[in-house]
Amino acid sequence: MFYLQQLMAINYLGSVYPTRAVVGKMKERRMGRIVFVSSQAGQIGLYGYSAYSATKYALRGLAESLNMEVKPYNIGLTIAYPPDTDTPGYAEESQNKVMFLGIFRLVSLYFTAGFDSIVRRCMIEKEKSEKTD
């Protein structure tokens, strides 16, 4: 249980507290940008990452809700979902979960390829509409 509490303190509350500290002033100024760093594990659950993914999903939920709350104050919110990041936790993980990390990379490649395909199709449609105008 202590491990999960540690993960929540770092991955979730480590973003909540600084955000609470600055959002009031941002509202007063009616401008600002909040940036959260989650993980690809905050978008899709994977075997062996139950505790970690839950903390990153929590951050995603916070970002989605908070974005709606601060938008009227001209405050933007960005949440990044980087892949494997060189941290002490990642180093420890790499020793034990090599196979699962490979699967995680394949999943991320699938989503990236899908996104690229959508962008390409949008660009083609935009060019077509510009030619007909």
Side-chain angles (χ1 to χ4, degrees):
M1 185 63 153
F2 178 71
Y3 176 69
L4 180 58
Q5 290 171 331
Q6 247 184 332
L7 280 177
M8 283 300 285
I10 293 167
N11 294 338
Y12 177 69
L13 296 174
S15 293
V16 170
Y17 295 138
T19 301
R20 287 184 63 192
V22 299
V23 79
K25 288 290 182 189
M26 288 180 173
K27 284 181 174 181
E28 286 176 19
R29 286 193 319 240
R30 300 197 66 78
M31 66 179 292
R33 168 139 321 260
I34 299 166
V35 179
F36 291 140
V37 179
S38 181
S39 166
Q40 286 183 349
Q43 293 183 305
I44 184 170
L46 288 173
Y47 176 86
Y49 290 86
S50 299
Y52 180 77
S53 287
T55 64
K56 294 302 188 170
Y57 267 99
L59 190 57
R60 177 182 180 174
L62 171 66
E64 290 176 4
S65 300
L66 186 59
N67 187 44
M68 290 181 266
E69 294 173 14
V70 298
K71 195 169 236 20
Y73 298 94
N74 195 36
I75 300 170
L77 197 139
T78 300
I79 184 163
Y81 297 100
D84 300 338
T85 305
D86 190 10
T87 64
Y90 174 70
E92 182 180 327
E93 217 170 76
S94 295
Q95 296 171 3
N96 303 321
K97 299 180 182 173
V98 175
M99 180 181 79
F100 297 114
L101 291 174
I103 292 169
F104 201 49
R105 285 190 186 102
L106 288 174
V107 169
S108 69
L109 287 173
Y110 171 78
F111 282 111
T112 302
F115 179 74
D116 287 346
S117 173
I118 292 168
V119 170
R120 271 190 242 105
R121 283 186 296 198
C122 289
M123 291 173 64
I124 290 168
E125 289 300 317
K126 181 182 177 210
E127 288 174 5
K128 285 180 184 177
S129 69
E130 286 174 352
K131 287 179 183 177
T132 58
D133 289 342

